[in-house]
PDB file of all heavy atoms in Angstrom:
ATOM      1  N   LYS B  81     -10.980   4.420  -7.941  1.00 98.00           N
ATOM      2  CA  LYS B  81      -9.852   3.559  -8.314  1.00 98.00           C
ATOM      3  C   LYS B  81      -8.596   3.950  -7.539  1.00 98.00           C
ATOM      4  O   LYS B  81      -7.503   4.113  -8.092  1.00 98.00           O
ATOM      5  CB  LYS B  81      -9.602   3.605  -9.822  1.00 98.00           C
ATOM      6  CG  LYS B  81     -10.799   3.162 -10.645  1.00 98.00           C
ATOM      7  CD  LYS B  81     -10.532   3.181 -12.140  1.00 98.00           C
ATOM      8  CE  LYS B  81      -9.544   2.100 -12.535  1.00 98.00           C
ATOM      9  NZ  LYS B  81      -9.389   2.018 -14.016  1.00 98.00           N
ATOM     10  N   THR B  82      -8.779   4.080  -6.239  1.00 98.00           N
ATOM     11  CA  THR B  82      -7.702   4.526  -5.367  1.00 98.00           C
ATOM     12  C   THR B  82      -7.682   3.706  -4.086  1.00 98.00           C
ATOM     13  O   THR B  82      -8.742   3.391  -3.528  1.00 98.00           O
ATOM     14  CB  THR B  82      -7.862   6.013  -5.022  1.00 98.00           C
ATOM     15  OG1 THR B  82      -7.883   6.785  -6.226  1.00 98.00           O
ATOM     16  CG2 THR B  82      -6.709   6.496  -4.157  1.00 98.00           C
ATOM     17  N   VAL B  83      -6.488   3.361  -3.637  1.00 98.00           N
ATOM     18  CA  VAL B  83      -6.303   2.711  -2.354  1.00 98.00           C
ATOM     19  C   VAL B  83      -5.479   3.636  -1.475  1.00 98.00           C
ATOM     20  O   VAL B  83      -4.598   4.352  -1.966  1.00 98.00           O
ATOM     21  CB  VAL B  83      -5.638   1.320  -2.506  1.00 98.00           C
ATOM     22  CG1 VAL B  83      -4.235   1.434  -3.092  1.00 98.00           C
ATOM     23  CG2 VAL B  83      -5.618   0.576  -1.182  1.00 98.00           C
ATOM     24  N   TYR B  84      -5.772   3.625  -0.170  1.00 98.00           N
ATOM     25  CA  TYR B  84      -5.145   4.530   0.771  1.00 98.00           C
ATOM     26  C   TYR B  84      -4.467   3.761   1.898  1.00 98.00           C
ATOM     27  O   TYR B  84      -4.831   2.633   2.220  1.00 98.00           O
ATOM     28  CB  TYR B  84      -6.182   5.465   1.400  1.00 98.00           C
ATOM     29  CG  TYR B  84      -7.023   6.220   0.403  1.00 98.00           C
ATOM     30  CD1 TYR B  84      -8.251   5.713  -0.015  1.00 98.00           C
ATOM     31  CD2 TYR B  84      -6.596   7.431  -0.114  1.00 98.00           C
ATOM     32  CE1 TYR B  84      -9.037   6.404  -0.925  1.00 98.00           C
ATOM     33  CE2 TYR B  84      -7.366   8.130  -1.028  1.00 98.00           C
ATOM     34  CZ  TYR B  84      -8.594   7.607  -1.429  1.00 98.00           C
ATOM     35  OH  TYR B  84      -9.356   8.307  -2.340  1.00 98.00           O
ATOM     36  N   LEU B  85      -3.500   4.396   2.505  1.00 98.00           N
ATOM     37  CA  LEU B  85      -2.900   3.885   3.727  1.00 98.00           C
ATOM     38  C   LEU B  85      -2.764   5.043   4.703  1.00 98.00           C
ATOM     39  O   LEU B  85      -1.935   5.931   4.507  1.00 98.00           O
ATOM     40  CB  LEU B  85      -1.530   3.254   3.463  1.00 98.00           C
ATOM     41  CG  LEU B  85      -0.888   2.580   4.676  1.00 98.00           C
ATOM     42  CD1 LEU B  85      -1.690   1.352   5.101  1.00 98.00           C
ATOM     43  CD2 LEU B  85       0.561   2.193   4.386  1.00 98.00           C
ATOM     44  N   GLN B  86      -3.611   5.030   5.714  1.00 98.00           N
ATOM     45  CA  GLN B  86      -3.532   6.018   6.776  1.00 98.00           C
ATOM     46  C   GLN B  86      -2.542   5.522   7.815  1.00 98.00           C
ATOM     47  O   GLN B  86      -2.726   4.436   8.377  1.00 98.00           O
ATOM     48  CB  GLN B  86      -4.902   6.243   7.416  1.00 98.00           C
ATOM     49  CG  GLN B  86      -4.899   7.236   8.572  1.00 98.00           C
ATOM     50  CD  GLN B  86      -4.593   8.644   8.133  1.00 98.00           C
ATOM     51  OE1 GLN B  86      -5.136   9.120   7.149  1.00 98.00           O
ATOM     52  NE2 GLN B  86      -3.706   9.317   8.862  1.00 98.00           N
ATOM     53  N   MET B  87      -1.513   6.291   8.083  1.00 98.00           N
ATOM     54  CA  MET B  87      -0.460   5.898   9.000  1.00 98.00           C
ATOM     55  C   MET B  87      -0.433   6.869  10.166  1.00 98.00           C
ATOM     56  O   MET B  87      -0.167   8.059   9.990  1.00 98.00           O
ATOM     57  CB  MET B  87       0.895   5.875   8.291  1.00 98.00           C
ATOM     58  CG  MET B  87       0.924   5.001   7.046  1.00 98.00           C
ATOM     59  SD  MET B  87       2.576   4.883   6.314  1.00 98.00           S
ATOM     60  CE  MET B  87       2.798   6.590   5.797  1.00 98.00           C
ATOM     61  N   ASN B  88      -0.709   6.360  11.348  1.00 98.00           N
ATOM     62  CA  ASN B  88      -0.708   7.155  12.567  1.00 98.00           C
ATOM     63  C   ASN B  88       0.365   6.653  13.519  1.00 98.00           C
ATOM     64  O   ASN B  88       0.864   5.539  13.389  1.00 98.00           O
ATOM     65  CB  ASN B  88      -2.076   7.090  13.252  1.00 98.00           C
ATOM     66  CG  ASN B  88      -3.197   7.637  12.407  1.00 98.00           C
ATOM     67  OD1 ASN B  88      -3.011   8.580  11.644  1.00 98.00           O
ATOM     68  ND2 ASN B  88      -4.385   7.051  12.544  1.00 98.00           N
ATOM     69  N   SER B  89       0.688   7.478  14.492  1.00 98.00           N
ATOM     70  CA  SER B  89       1.679   7.124  15.515  1.00 98.00           C
ATOM     71  C   SER B  89       2.953   6.582  14.888  1.00 98.00           C
ATOM     72  O   SER B  89       3.487   5.546  15.293  1.00 98.00           O
ATOM     73  CB  SER B  89       1.084   6.102  16.493  1.00 98.00           C
ATOM     74  OG  SER B  89      -0.082   6.612  17.113  1.00 98.00           O
ATOM     75  N   LEU B  90       3.445   7.289  13.910  1.00 98.00           N
ATOM     76  CA  LEU B  90       4.596   6.815  13.150  1.00 98.00           C
ATOM     77  C   LEU B  90       5.852   6.736  14.002  1.00 98.00           C
ATOM     78  O   LEU B  90       6.076   7.558  14.893  1.00 98.00           O
ATOM     79  CB  LEU B  90       4.830   7.707  11.943  1.00 98.00           C
ATOM     80  CG  LEU B  90       3.850   7.455  10.789  1.00 98.00           C
ATOM     81  CD1 LEU B  90       3.818   8.637   9.836  1.00 98.00           C
ATOM     82  CD2 LEU B  90       4.235   6.179  10.044  1.00 98.00           C
ATOM     83  N   LYS B  91       6.651   5.733  13.699  1.00 98.00           N
ATOM     84  CA  LYS B  91       7.895   5.468  14.394  1.00 98.00           C
ATOM     85  C   LYS B  91       9.057   5.538  13.415  1.00 98.00           C
ATOM     86  O   LYS B  91       8.872   5.326  12.217  1.00 98.00           O
ATOM     87  CB  LYS B  91       7.865   4.068  15.027  1.00 98.00           C
ATOM     88  CG  LYS B  91       6.692   3.814  15.956  1.00 98.00           C
ATOM     89  CD  LYS B  91       6.678   2.364  16.403  1.00 98.00           C
ATOM     90  CE  LYS B  91       5.505   2.080  17.318  1.00 98.00           C
ATOM     91  NZ  LYS B  91       5.479   0.652  17.745  1.00 98.00           N
ATOM     92  N   PRO B  92      10.264   5.797  13.906  1.00 98.00           N
ATOM     93  CA  PRO B  92      11.420   5.811  12.999  1.00 98.00           C
ATOM     94  C   PRO B  92      11.569   4.519  12.197  1.00 98.00           C
ATOM     95  O   PRO B  92      11.997   4.570  11.039  1.00 98.00           O
ATOM     96  CB  PRO B  92      12.601   6.022  13.948  1.00 98.00           C
ATOM     97  CG  PRO B  92      12.021   6.803  15.072  1.00 98.00           C
ATOM     98  CD  PRO B  92      10.630   6.247  15.257  1.00 98.00           C
ATOM     99  N   GLU B  93      11.212   3.392  12.778  1.00 97.00           N
ATOM    100  CA  GLU B  93      11.319   2.125  12.075  1.00 97.00           C
ATOM    101  C   GLU B  93      10.305   1.963  10.946  1.00 97.00           C
ATOM    102  O   GLU B  93      10.369   0.991  10.188  1.00 97.00           O
ATOM    103  CB  GLU B  93      11.223   0.938  13.047  1.00 97.00           C
ATOM    104  CG  GLU B  93      10.039   1.013  13.992  1.00 97.00           C
ATOM    105  CD  GLU B  93      10.403   1.578  15.357  1.00 97.00           C
ATOM    106  OE1 GLU B  93      11.115   2.604  15.408  1.00 97.00           O
ATOM    107  OE2 GLU B  93       9.977   0.999  16.374  1.00 97.00           O
ATOM    108  N   ASP B  94       9.367   2.894  10.821  1.00 98.00           N
ATOM    109  CA  ASP B  94       8.452   2.900   9.687  1.00 98.00           C
ATOM    110  C   ASP B  94       9.087   3.525   8.449  1.00 98.00           C
ATOM    111  O   ASP B  94       8.487   3.495   7.367  1.00 98.00           O
ATOM    112  CB  ASP B  94       7.173   3.658  10.023  1.00 98.00           C
ATOM    113  CG  ASP B  94       6.356   2.984  11.108  1.00 98.00           C
ATOM    114  OD1 ASP B  94       6.235   1.744  11.086  1.00 98.00           O
ATOM    115  OD2 ASP B  94       5.826   3.707  11.978  1.00 98.00           O
ATOM    116  N   THR B  95      10.258   4.107   8.604  1.00 98.00           N
ATOM    117  CA  THR B  95      10.944   4.731   7.481  1.00 98.00           C
ATOM    118  C   THR B  95      11.238   3.700   6.396  1.00 98.00           C
ATOM    119  O   THR B  95      11.865   2.676   6.653  1.00 98.00           O
ATOM    120  CB  THR B  95      12.246   5.386   7.938  1.00 98.00           C
ATOM    121  OG1 THR B  95      11.938   6.452   8.849  1.00 98.00           O
ATOM    122  CG2 THR B  95      13.015   5.957   6.757  1.00 98.00           C
ATOM    123  N   ALA B  96      10.768   3.969   5.193  1.00 98.00           N
ATOM    124  CA  ALA B  96      10.920   3.034   4.081  1.00 98.00           C
ATOM    125  C   ALA B  96      10.330   3.648   2.826  1.00 98.00           C
ATOM    126  O   ALA B  96       9.662   4.682   2.880  1.00 98.00           O
ATOM    127  CB  ALA B  96      10.205   1.709   4.388  1.00 98.00           C
ATOM    128  N   VAL B  97      10.568   2.993   1.710  1.00 98.00           N
ATOM    129  CA  VAL B  97       9.827   3.284   0.496  1.00 98.00           C
ATOM    130  C   VAL B  97       8.586   2.413   0.507  1.00 98.00           C
ATOM    131  O   VAL B  97       8.674   1.194   0.679  1.00 98.00           O
ATOM    132  CB  VAL B  97      10.662   3.023  -0.767  1.00 98.00           C
ATOM    133  CG1 VAL B  97       9.835   3.282  -2.023  1.00 98.00           C
ATOM    134  CG2 VAL B  97      11.906   3.906  -0.776  1.00 98.00           C
ATOM    135  N   TYR B  98       7.441   3.031   0.335  1.00 98.00           N
ATOM    136  CA  TYR B  98       6.170   2.326   0.364  1.00 98.00           C
ATOM    137  C   TYR B  98       5.653   2.129  -1.053  1.00 98.00           C
ATOM    138  O   TYR B  98       5.599   3.075  -1.842  1.00 98.00           O
ATOM    139  CB  TYR B  98       5.147   3.105   1.202  1.00 98.00           C
ATOM    140  CG  TYR B  98       5.386   2.967   2.683  1.00 98.00           C
ATOM    141  CD1 TYR B  98       6.479   3.574   3.287  1.00 98.00           C
ATOM    142  CD2 TYR B  98       4.528   2.207   3.480  1.00 98.00           C
ATOM    143  CE1 TYR B  98       6.719   3.429   4.641  1.00 98.00           C
ATOM    144  CE2 TYR B  98       4.760   2.060   4.834  1.00 98.00           C
ATOM    145  CZ  TYR B  98       5.856   2.674   5.414  1.00 98.00           C
ATOM    146  OH  TYR B  98       6.088   2.532   6.765  1.00 98.00           O
ATOM    147  N   TYR B  99       5.276   0.892  -1.353  1.00 98.00           N
ATOM    148  CA  TYR B  99       4.834   0.513  -2.686  1.00 98.00           C
ATOM    149  C   TYR B  99       3.397   0.023  -2.678  1.00 98.00           C
ATOM    150  O   TYR B  99       3.001  -0.748  -1.801  1.00 98.00           O
ATOM    151  CB  TYR B  99       5.707  -0.609  -3.244  1.00 98.00           C
ATOM    152  CG  TYR B  99       7.164  -0.254  -3.425  1.00 98.00           C
ATOM    153  CD1 TYR B  99       8.079  -0.479  -2.407  1.00 98.00           C
ATOM    154  CD2 TYR B  99       7.621   0.299  -4.614  1.00 98.00           C
ATOM    155  CE1 TYR B  99       9.419  -0.160  -2.564  1.00 98.00           C
ATOM    156  CE2 TYR B  99       8.955   0.615  -4.779  1.00 98.00           C
ATOM    157  CZ  TYR B  99       9.851   0.383  -3.751  1.00 98.00           C
ATOM    158  OH  TYR B  99      11.175   0.693  -3.915  1.00 98.00           O
ATOM    159  N   CYS B 100       2.659   0.436  -3.667  1.00 98.00           N
ATOM    160  CA  CYS B 100       1.303  -0.030  -3.896  1.00 98.00           C
ATOM    161  C   CYS B 100       1.335  -1.260  -4.797  1.00 98.00           C
ATOM    162  O   CYS B 100       2.091  -1.311  -5.766  1.00 98.00           O
ATOM    163  CB  CYS B 100       0.505   1.104  -4.548  1.00 98.00           C
ATOM    164  SG  CYS B 100      -1.196   0.718  -4.974  1.00 98.00           S
ATOM    165  N   ASN B 101       0.514  -2.248  -4.476  1.00 98.00           N
ATOM    166  CA  ASN B 101       0.468  -3.490  -5.244  1.00 98.00           C
ATOM    167  C   ASN B 101      -0.965  -3.880  -5.561  1.00 98.00           C
ATOM    168  O   ASN B 101      -1.853  -3.758  -4.721  1.00 98.00           O
ATOM    169  CB  ASN B 101       1.145  -4.615  -4.459  1.00 98.00           C
ATOM    170  CG  ASN B 101       0.991  -5.969  -5.123  1.00 98.00           C
ATOM    171  OD1 ASN B 101       0.076  -6.735  -4.806  1.00 98.00           O
ATOM    172  ND2 ASN B 101       1.889  -6.281  -6.038  1.00 98.00           N
ATOM    173  N   ALA B 102      -1.178  -4.357  -6.775  1.00 98.00           N
ATOM    174  CA  ALA B 102      -2.458  -4.905  -7.198  1.00 98.00           C
ATOM    175  C   ALA B 102      -2.263  -6.351  -7.622  1.00 98.00           C
ATOM    176  O   ALA B 102      -1.283  -6.670  -8.303  1.00 98.00           O
ATOM    177  CB  ALA B 102      -3.035  -4.094  -8.355  1.00 98.00           C
ATOM    178  N   LYS B 103      -3.195  -7.220  -7.236  1.00 97.00           N
ATOM    179  CA  LYS B 103      -3.052  -8.638  -7.550  1.00 97.00           C
ATOM    180  C   LYS B 103      -4.401  -9.270  -7.859  1.00 97.00           C
ATOM    181  O   LYS B 103      -5.371  -9.043  -7.161  1.00 97.00           O
ATOM    182  CB  LYS B 103      -2.401  -9.375  -6.375  1.00 97.00           C
ATOM    183  CG  LYS B 103      -2.169 -10.858  -6.631  1.00 97.00           C
ATOM    184  CD  LYS B 103      -1.512 -11.522  -5.430  1.00 97.00           C
ATOM    185  CE  LYS B 103      -1.281 -13.004  -5.659  1.00 97.00           C
ATOM    186  NZ  LYS B 103      -0.631 -13.641  -4.482  1.00 97.00           N
ATOM    187  N   ARG B 104      -4.397 -10.066  -8.923  1.00 96.00           N
ATOM    188  CA  ARG B 104      -5.568 -10.860  -9.264  1.00 96.00           C
ATOM    189  C   ARG B 104      -5.112 -12.236  -9.720  1.00 96.00           C
ATOM    190  O   ARG B 104      -4.202 -12.348 -10.539  1.00 96.00           O
ATOM    191  CB  ARG B 104      -6.392 -10.195 -10.365  1.00 96.00           C
ATOM    192  CG  ARG B 104      -7.693 -10.937 -10.657  1.00 96.00           C
ATOM    193  CD  ARG B 104      -8.409 -10.384 -11.868  1.00 96.00           C
ATOM    194  NE  ARG B 104      -9.730 -10.991 -12.026  1.00 96.00           N
ATOM    195  CZ  ARG B 104     -10.502 -10.861 -13.097  1.00 96.00           C
ATOM    196  NH1 ARG B 104     -10.083 -10.129 -14.115  1.00 96.00           N
ATOM    197  NH2 ARG B 104     -11.685 -11.446 -13.142  1.00 96.00           N
ATOM    198  N   GLN B 105      -5.746 -13.271  -9.204  1.00 92.00           N
ATOM    199  CA  GLN B 105      -5.430 -14.638  -9.576  1.00 92.00           C
ATOM    200  C   GLN B 105      -6.729 -15.349  -9.944  1.00 92.00           C
ATOM    201  O   GLN B 105      -7.601 -15.533  -9.106  1.00 92.00           O
ATOM    202  CB  GLN B 105      -4.720 -15.358  -8.440  1.00 92.00           C
ATOM    203  CG  GLN B 105      -4.132 -16.699  -8.819  1.00 92.00           C
ATOM    204  CD  GLN B 105      -3.165 -17.215  -7.773  1.00 92.00           C
ATOM    205  OE1 GLN B 105      -2.195 -16.549  -7.417  1.00 92.00           O
ATOM    206  NE2 GLN B 105      -3.435 -18.401  -7.262  1.00 92.00           N
ATOM    207  N   ARG B 106      -6.841 -15.720 -11.208  1.00 88.00           N
ATOM    208  CA  ARG B 106      -8.034 -16.384 -11.713  1.00 88.00           C
ATOM    209  C   ARG B 106      -7.653 -17.403 -12.777  1.00 88.00           C
ATOM    210  O   ARG B 106      -6.848 -17.113 -13.662  1.00 88.00           O
ATOM    211  CB  ARG B 106      -9.002 -15.374 -12.338  1.00 88.00           C
ATOM    212  CG  ARG B 106      -9.582 -14.353 -11.373  1.00 88.00           C
ATOM    213  CD  ARG B 106     -10.653 -14.956 -10.489  1.00 88.00           C
ATOM    214  NE  ARG B 106     -11.395 -13.918  -9.789  1.00 88.00           N
ATOM    215  CZ  ARG B 106     -10.977 -13.313  -8.690  1.00 88.00           C
ATOM    216  NH1 ARG B 106      -9.805 -13.630  -8.159  1.00 88.00           N
ATOM    217  NH2 ARG B 106     -11.737 -12.391  -8.113  1.00 88.00           N
ATOM    218  N   PHE B 107      -8.231 -18.597 -12.665  1.00 89.00           N
ATOM    219  CA  PHE B 107      -8.092 -19.631 -13.689  1.00 89.00           C
ATOM    220  C   PHE B 107      -6.640 -19.907 -14.068  1.00 89.00           C
ATOM    221  O   PHE B 107      -6.308 -20.067 -15.240  1.00 89.00           O
ATOM    222  CB  PHE B 107      -8.901 -19.248 -14.939  1.00 89.00           C
ATOM    223  CG  PHE B 107     -10.335 -18.943 -14.656  1.00 89.00           C
ATOM    224  CD1 PHE B 107     -10.805 -17.636 -14.711  1.00 89.00           C
ATOM    225  CD2 PHE B 107     -11.224 -19.950 -14.323  1.00 89.00           C
ATOM    226  CE1 PHE B 107     -12.130 -17.349 -14.445  1.00 89.00           C
ATOM    227  CE2 PHE B 107     -12.555 -19.669 -14.052  1.00 89.00           C
ATOM    228  CZ  PHE B 107     -13.005 -18.365 -14.119  1.00 89.00           C
ATOM    229  N   GLY B 108      -5.781 -19.947 -13.074  1.00 89.00           N
ATOM    230  CA  GLY B 108      -4.374 -20.202 -13.311  1.00 89.00           C
ATOM    231  C   GLY B 108      -3.591 -19.012 -13.821  1.00 89.00           C
ATOM    232  O   GLY B 108      -2.397 -19.142 -14.110  1.00 89.00           O
ATOM    233  N   LEU B 109      -4.245 -17.867 -13.927  1.00 91.00           N
ATOM    234  CA  LEU B 109      -3.583 -16.655 -14.393  1.00 91.00           C
ATOM    235  C   LEU B 109      -3.313 -15.732 -13.217  1.00 91.00           C
ATOM    236  O   LEU B 109      -4.154 -15.575 -12.343  1.00 91.00           O
ATOM    237  CB  LEU B 109      -4.450 -15.930 -15.427  1.00 91.00           C
ATOM    238  CG  LEU B 109      -4.826 -16.721 -16.672  1.00 91.00           C
ATOM    239  CD1 LEU B 109      -5.772 -15.905 -17.539  1.00 91.00           C
ATOM    240  CD2 LEU B 109      -3.582 -17.113 -17.458  1.00 91.00           C
ATOM    241  N   LEU B 110      -2.146 -15.126 -13.214  1.00 93.00           N
ATOM    242  CA  LEU B 110      -1.759 -14.201 -12.161  1.00 93.00           C
ATOM    243  C   LEU B 110      -1.384 -12.859 -12.764  1.00 93.00           C
ATOM    244  O   LEU B 110      -0.510 -12.785 -13.630  1.00 93.00           O
ATOM    245  CB  LEU B 110      -0.576 -14.755 -11.369  1.00 93.00           C
ATOM    246  CG  LEU B 110       0.010 -13.834 -10.296  1.00 93.00           C
ATOM    247  CD1 LEU B 110      -1.010 -13.568  -9.204  1.00 93.00           C
ATOM    248  CD2 LEU B 110       1.285 -14.426  -9.714  1.00 93.00           C
ATOM    249  N   ASP B 111      -2.057 -11.831 -12.301  1.00 93.00           N
ATOM    250  CA  ASP B 111      -1.709 -10.459 -12.671  1.00 93.00           C
ATOM    251  C   ASP B 111      -1.243  -9.734 -11.424  1.00 93.00           C
ATOM    252  O   ASP B 111      -1.952  -9.719 -10.411  1.00 93.00           O
ATOM    253  CB  ASP B 111      -2.907  -9.711 -13.259  1.00 93.00           C
ATOM    254  CG  ASP B 111      -3.314 -10.225 -14.621  1.00 93.00           C
ATOM    255  OD1 ASP B 111      -2.434 -10.689 -15.370  1.00 93.00           O
ATOM    256  OD2 ASP B 111      -4.526 -10.156 -14.934  1.00 93.00           O
ATOM    257  N   THR B 112      -0.071  -9.165 -11.475  1.00 96.00           N
ATOM    258  CA  THR B 112       0.466  -8.393 -10.366  1.00 96.00           C
ATOM    259  C   THR B 112       1.082  -7.117 -10.904  1.00 96.00           C
ATOM    260  O   THR B 112       1.886  -7.151 -11.835  1.00 96.00           O
ATOM    261  CB  THR B 112       1.517  -9.183  -9.578  1.00 96.00           C
ATOM    262  OG1 THR B 112       0.941 -10.396  -9.091  1.00 96.00           O
ATOM    263  CG2 THR B 112       2.017  -8.378  -8.392  1.00 96.00           C
ATOM    264  N   TYR B 113       0.697  -6.003 -10.304  1.00 97.00           N
ATOM    265  CA  TYR B 113       1.218  -4.702 -10.715  1.00 97.00           C
ATOM    266  C   TYR B 113       1.789  -3.976  -9.508  1.00 97.00           C
ATOM    267  O   TYR B 113       1.301  -4.123  -8.382  1.00 97.00           O
ATOM    268  CB  TYR B 113       0.114  -3.849 -11.347  1.00 97.00           C
ATOM    269  CG  TYR B 113      -0.589  -4.502 -12.506  1.00 97.00           C
ATOM    270  CD1 TYR B 113      -1.961  -4.722 -12.475  1.00 97.00           C
ATOM    271  CD2 TYR B 113       0.118  -4.898 -13.638  1.00 97.00           C
ATOM    272  CE1 TYR B 113      -2.622  -5.316 -13.525  1.00 97.00           C
ATOM    273  CE2 TYR B 113      -0.531  -5.504 -14.699  1.00 97.00           C
ATOM    274  CZ  TYR B 113      -1.903  -5.708 -14.638  1.00 97.00           C
ATOM    275  OH  TYR B 113      -2.550  -6.305 -15.708  1.00 97.00           O
ATOM    276  N   TRP B 114       2.813  -3.175  -9.762  1.00 98.00           N
ATOM    277  CA  TRP B 114       3.486  -2.414  -8.716  1.00 98.00           C
ATOM    278  C   TRP B 114       3.572  -0.943  -9.082  1.00 98.00           C
ATOM    279  O   TRP B 114       3.760  -0.581 -10.252  1.00 98.00           O
ATOM    280  CB  TRP B 114       4.912  -2.924  -8.506  1.00 98.00           C
ATOM    281  CG  TRP B 114       4.997  -4.286  -7.907  1.00 98.00           C
ATOM    282  CD1 TRP B 114       5.086  -5.474  -8.563  1.00 98.00           C
ATOM    283  CD2 TRP B 114       5.021  -4.600  -6.511  1.00 98.00           C
ATOM    284  NE1 TRP B 114       5.164  -6.511  -7.670  1.00 98.00           N
ATOM    285  CE2 TRP B 114       5.122  -6.006  -6.410  1.00 98.00           C
ATOM    286  CE3 TRP B 114       4.968  -3.838  -5.348  1.00 98.00           C
ATOM    287  CZ2 TRP B 114       5.172  -6.663  -5.177  1.00 98.00           C
ATOM    288  CZ3 TRP B 114       5.011  -4.478  -4.128  1.00 98.00           C
ATOM    289  CH2 TRP B 114       5.113  -5.874  -4.053  1.00 98.00           C
TER     290      TRP B 114
END
Side-chain angles (χ1 to χ4, degrees):
K81 301 181 69 174
T82 302
V83 63
Y84 306 93
L85 185 67
Q86 178 67 45
M87 305 185 294
N88 299 326
S89 302
L90 283 161
K91 305 174 181 179
E93 50 263 46
D94 295 319
T95 296
V97 178
Y98 284 71
Y99 298 91
C100 178
N101 173 266
K103 182 180 180 180
R104 185 188 187 191
Q105 190 166 304
R106 296 285 193 279
F107 306 108
L109 302 176
L110 175 64
D111 291 329
T112 302
Y113 305 121
W114 291 93

